[in-house]
Amino acid sequence: MKNQHLYLSAAIAVALAASPLFAVAQTAASRNPALADINTTEAPRVTQTVDSRAVSTLQRSHLAVVDQTAVTGSMADNAPMNHMHLVLKRSASRQAALDALIAAQHDPSSAKFHQWVTPEQFGDTFGVLDADVAATVSWLQSQGFTVHGVYPNKMQIDFSGTAGTVKRAFHTQMNRYTLNKTSHVANASDISIPSALQNVVVGVAGLNDIHPQPQHVAPRVARFDASSGKFKLTKPTVSAAAGVSPEAIGFTNGARGLVPYDMAKIYAVDQLRSSGLTGSGITIAVVEDNSMVPADWTNFVSQFNLGSYGGTFTQSQPQATGFTNCIDPNIANPGEDDGETLLDAEWSTAMAPGAHIWVASCDDSNSNNFFGGVFTAATNLINGASRPNIISASYGYGEGFTDAPSKTAIDLMWAQADAEGISVFVSSGDSGSNPSFNGGLINSVGIDANAFGTSPNDTVVGGTDTADVLDGTTKKYFAATYNSVYGSALSYVPEIPWNQSCGNEVAAKSLGFASSLAFCKQYLKLDPQGYYLTSEAGSGGPSSVDSKPAWQRQVHNAAKDQSRDVPDVSLFAGSYGGDTYVIVCTAAYPCQPGFTGLISLSGGTSLSSPMFAGIQALIDQGLAAKGLSPNQGNAAPTLYALAADEYGGAKGNPPASLANCSADNGTKGTGKCVFHNITRGSIATQCVQQPPGIVTPDCYFYGSLPASSYGPLQVGLTSTNASKYNINTEAFAAEPGWSFASGLGSVNAQNLFNAWKAFVNVK
């Protein structure tokens, strides 16, 4: 039929209402008191004939970075594009109702406090109307796509096709590009859809394959030296260059390997554990795009004597309702062991040894969604019948490398998790003021924030470093010998932001330099080949997409911007000079009594996030024992409310506790504090520009390397002002109160639990 592209939405809705595709459970709002007074009744918004000849362009539906990137080839029309997501748009009135509900769910004075919803209730109340979903599905099918299903939230449609189908339906070419030295596919331009659907469609998440990076440092293999109590790395991180001074590269006397006992002691988790709070009854899901050998977790628990707490472990692939879009990453390589997954599973257990750890892993290759298997695992969990109490996501990429539909899909997902009571923790990133360059050098995009974490409905965890080595106070905070579970920490250890570059102010002054800039200039002379250039540091920065939530404005020194700023809190991630790591038990390097064999050392904000998830599990168990919900939803609103009491509000003079709770005061000074306020150091790192090439913004250039291992380079430090560099412009310095370097700082878990109980009015 020559008019087959014309569809009447009303007729489609009636015809498809009884289809099994739309057999999503309808849950009456009256079954949940939180929804009883919410009226989101509305008329269908697809009111015109869906005509594929009358189209509208969806702005920012392609990656802006490809506009400045050369095309290396086009995708063949028959190339498969699997499990894309058509992201839907709720009405303004439903969005306002959802925002109001979530605010009430976090308000202890509200009757809706902790009245969480199910995925079906969420979809019925805040999703897109069935008639509008039906019209959209029908159009996709008419274009030749296979529609696998609609999620219970009624905000996502999972569908597959080919590059040719995408080109014809969405009016864009799928091309190949090289970004950050890696080949990727992406749509060359913004997509177009029938104008009749533009009120209910945001766009397609899945038209590029720039999957998120795991936020951990490259694992190091080491051998324990009993005489020194340190781990000797079996291989140097780079080949030493002639003339490179050891002073410039940090410490060479071996690495310290922290264990669960140490972290429990440093963050007062041991105090909660002694009162019976171990995370029992709480499920922590770590979302991954790769799997691990389950026996590694058992080995970790055994090595560090955590088995008596009763924790359990599951690894599985969560599926969407009614269709399969998550496959085991280890199908192709059975027994493969992923360093990121190991770190997440083992170190969430280190903090909450009584919790159930659920490794939810989906392979990237089965999904063209931007965040790949990680997104698939997370969204399937949130829309599933069996949901975790807590999710930890240790992956990320900057907003500058994220298209608008993918970013919207992420934010929609975390808002749904929050409304369901799931606490979500996301790593801030591992490359200073731009999280997109983990393991590399910031070289093309300026200040940015992790797109996976800048939603106002999750909590972003940054990275710290213990300051004892640089301060020369190790004997004060660590015992000379290990105890029976290989621990040596004596108490809380003062912290600084994790920063492995010469931009580390504390390291610069420890080595006798007046400033990090002076240190970096000397570094350049000592390292003429650029072997030790790095952007490795905990990440932080303002969102360019999400606006600042009200709860983030209420604490002393909150950034005076309109952006959702990250991180929110921080925990240990790594150290300057590679002096301190955490121990991970792997299949290749299993933990053995006495560490008689080779061992794997790791770190990064991929460590920080699951550790905070473990602390949240202890709080959840403790509150459940008081008769409250074992779910707390997004932790950030409560954390900022508690921080305002300790640091002071956005206006007025701060209380004495702001200074008293400085991390530099150590245990004696911060013993009564909820937060350890980190006020020294920064996450400003090295950044480079390779002439001729793309200009690197937000970089203060202080020198050049005419013949480095990378070729000719201009070398700088990340700065909010490219023409000058000082403590006011470096990106970013730690400050009293909140800062981009470490958020609110780290926590005393015991004091946090007590303050949380008071906040929710229980004794």
Side-chain angles (χ1 to χ4, degrees):
M1 296 176 61
K2 63 181 180 180
N3 292 327
Q4 63 181 351
H5 53 270
L6 300 178
Y7 299 92
L8 294 176
S9 60
I12 293 297
V14 172
L16 295 179
S19 169
L21 184 64
F22 298 98
V24 178
Q26 300 293 311
T27 306
S30 60
R31 294 182 185 176
N32 188 325
L35 304 176
D37 63 343
I38 297 178
N39 183 358
T40 56
T41 302
E42 61 184 16
R45 287 178 290 144
V46 180
T47 59
Q48 300 176 349
T49 300
V50 180
D51 186 347
S52 292
R53 297 172 303 181
V55 299
S56 296
T57 301
L58 300 180
Q59 300 299 316
R60 296 184 60 244
S61 54
H62 83 297
L63 285 171
V65 69
V66 304
D67 295 336
Q68 289 83 43
T69 307
V71 177
T72 59
S74 58
M75 289 184 68
D77 281 354
N78 63 353
M81 298 192 66
N82 298 321
H83 295 289
M84 296 172 282
H85 279 201
L86 195 72
V87 184
L88 303 180
K89 181 194 307 181
R90 64 173 57 92
S91 65
S93 61
R94 289 196 167 196
Q95 183 63 55
L98 175 60
D99 292 342
L101 172 64
I102 292 175
Q105 288 173 321
H106 288 282
D107 181 0
S109 66
S110 171
K112 298 182 181 182
F113 182 59
H114 286 183
Q115 296 293 317
W116 312 115
V117 302
T118 67
E120 290 74 23
Q121 291 169 340
F122 184 91
D124 290 344
T125 310
F126 305 111
V128 172
L129 289 184
D130 288 345
D132 293 335
V133 172
T136 307
V137 167
S138 182
W139 176 74
L140 285 171
Q141 292 172 328
S142 75
Q143 300 304 299
F145 292 110
T146 298
V147 176
H148 302 290
V150 179
Y151 275 83
N153 61 17
K154 300 182 182 179
M155 298 296 298
Q156 299 161 253
I157 301 171
D158 186 296
F159 70 105
S160 297
T162 64
T165 319
V166 167
K167 179 168 62 177
R168 292 188 296 273
F170 295 113
H171 309 280
T172 188
Q173 174 65 46
M174 296 300 302
N175 288 333
R176 299 186 183 278
Y177 303 88
T178 299
L179 301 171
N180 288 337
K181 300 181 180 181
T182 304
S183 179
H184 291 287
V185 298
N187 50 314
S189 60
D190 286 343
I191 69 171
S192 297
I193 62 169
S195 299
L197 298 177
Q198 66 176 331
N199 286 336
V200 298
V201 174
V202 171
V204 179
L207 296 183
N208 65 74
D209 67 348
I210 302 181
H211 297 315
Q213 296 179 337
Q215 302 302 313
H216 68 262
V217 299
R220 308 288 193 254
V221 178
R223 186 179 298 279
F224 184 64
D225 181 351
S227 63
S228 67
K230 293 291 187 84
F231 290 86
K232 299 291 186 180
L233 301 184
T234 58
K235 295 180 181 179
T237 54
V238 295
S239 299
V244 175
S245 167
E247 179 186 67
I249 63 172
F251 308 96
T252 58
N253 63 337
R256 178 169 61 195
L258 298 181
V259 300
Y261 175 93
D262 296 318
M263 291 303 183
K265 177 65 69 174
I266 290 169
Y267 295 119
V269 165
D270 61 335
Q271 297 177 37
L272 289 178
R273 196 174 294 170
S274 65
S275 66
L277 298 184
T278 65
S280 178
I282 305 300
T283 296
I284 302 171
V286 292
V287 290
E288 313 290 346
D289 61 5
N290 216 328
S291 297
M292 60 179 277
V293 175
D296 295 339
W297 181 87
T298 304
N299 179 209
F300 184 85
V301 167
S302 174
Q303 175 78 356
F304 300 115
N305 197 27
L306 301 175
S308 61
Y309 296 107
T312 54
F313 174 92
T314 297
Q315 181 169 251
S316 65
Q317 286 64 56
Q319 299 300 338
T321 303
F323 58 97
T324 299
N325 62 354
C326 175
I327 62 173
D328 186 350
N330 276 5
I331 284 180
N333 298 292
E336 186 176 8
D337 222 20
D338 183 70
E340 176 60 58
T341 308
L342 287 164
L343 190 65
D344 295 347
E346 292 179 2
W347 279 89
S348 53
T349 295
M351 295 289 97
H356 175 62
I357 306 303
W358 183 357
V359 172
S361 57
C362 298
D363 191 70
D364 282 336
S365 66
N366 195 47
S367 171
N368 279 94
N369 208 289
F370 170 77
F371 270 93
V374 175
F375 178 91
T376 302
T379 198
N380 286 1
L381 285 175
I382 293 164
N383 283 279
S386 179
R387 299 178 295 282
N389 306 94
I390 300 165
I391 289 175
S392 178
S394 293
Y395 294 77
Y397 224 93
E399 291 178 342
F401 288 94
T402 309
D403 59 281
S406 294
K407 174 57 176 165
T408 300
I410 294 162
D411 288 358
L412 290 172
M413 176 174 67
W414 294 149
Q416 181 182 351
D418 195 4
E420 292 175 6
I422 302 171
S423 301
V424 176
F425 297 93
V426 180
S427 300
S428 68
D430 286 10
S431 48
S433 58
N434 191 308
S436 298
F437 297 89
N438 185 19
L441 285 160
I442 296 173
N443 60 35
S444 59
V445 180
I447 291 169
D448 204 355
N450 185 357
F452 216 45
T454 47
S455 158
N457 299 105
D458 63 73
T459 302
V460 177
V461 188
T464 70
D465 181 3
T466 56
D468 63 294
V469 175
L470 293 171
D471 289 347
T473 58
T474 298
K475 291 182 179 179
K476 182 178 180 180
Y477 297 105
F478 288 89
T481 58
Y482 293 117
N483 61 22
S484 61
V485 289
Y486 313 102
S488 61
L490 299 174
S491 67
Y492 173 68
V493 186
E495 294 170 280
I496 58 176
W498 170 47
N499 187 343
Q500 295 187 194
S501 80
C502 63
N504 186 325
E505 291 278 355
V506 179
K509 293 178 180 178
S510 173
L511 294 169
F513 294 89
S515 67
S516 60
L517 182 58
F519 181 33
C520 286
K521 289 180 178 179
Q522 179 66 12
Y523 217 111
L524 206 59
K525 297 177 182 178
L526 296 168
D527 185 21
Q529 296 299 312
Y531 282 108
Y532 297 101
L533 295 176
T534 182
S535 296
E536 202 80 18
S539 293
S543 172
S544 59
V545 178
D546 292 304
S547 59
K548 190 186 296 295
W551 44 260
Q552 194 169 40
R553 299 180 184 276
Q554 66 191 40
V555 70
H556 177 71
N557 204 42
K560 295 178 175 60
D561 59 20
Q562 301 303 311
S563 301
R564 166 72 168 112
D565 298 315
V566 298
D568 298 305
V569 288
S570 294
L571 292 177
F572 178 80
S575 67
Y576 178 79
D579 182 75
T580 307
Y581 298 90
V582 296
I583 293 173
V584 179
C585 302
T586 76
Y589 305 107
C591 295
Q592 300 174 14
F595 298 120
T596 55
L598 293 175
I599 201 72
S600 180
L601 304 175
S602 191
T605 57
S606 280
L607 166 68
S608 313
S609 180
M611 283 204 301
F612 212 102
I615 291 175
Q616 186 66 50
L618 307 182
I619 294 171
D620 289 358
Q621 180 194 355
L623 295 177
K626 300 293 183 179
L628 297 182
S629 170
N631 286 42
Q632 295 298 301
N634 185 19
T638 301
L639 292 171
Y640 279 84
L642 300 179
D645 289 338
E646 192 164 282
Y647 294 168
K651 298 180 180 180
N653 295 324
S657 53
L658 175 65
N660 293 340
C661 293
S662 169
D664 292 338
N665 293 334
T667 301
K668 292 183 179 179
T670 62
K672 296 182 179 180
C673 300
V674 172
F675 299 93
H676 308 120
N677 192 199
I678 298 166
T679 58
R680 283 190 295 156
S682 78
I683 57 170
T685 66
Q686 288 165 304
C687 44
V688 298
Q689 184 169 295
Q690 191 166 13
I694 299 173
V695 174
T696 303
D698 302 319
C699 187
Y700 172 81
F701 295 104
Y702 58 82
S704 61
L705 291 176
S708 76
S709 56
Y710 301 93
L713 285 179
Q714 285 184 281
V715 182
L717 284 167
T718 53
S719 175
T720 57
N721 188 323
S723 63
K724 63 180 180 180
Y725 188 84
N726 55 46
I727 195 169
N728 296 316
T729 66
E730 62 184 329
F732 294 96
E735 301 176 72
W738 184 91
S739 75
F740 284 113
S742 57
L744 298 171
S746 67
V747 298
N748 177 304
Q750 172 71 60
N751 293 342
L752 175 59
F753 175 58
N754 290 337
W756 203 301
K757 286 193 297 181
F759 180 77
V760 298
N761 300 315
V762 299
K763 295 182 180 180

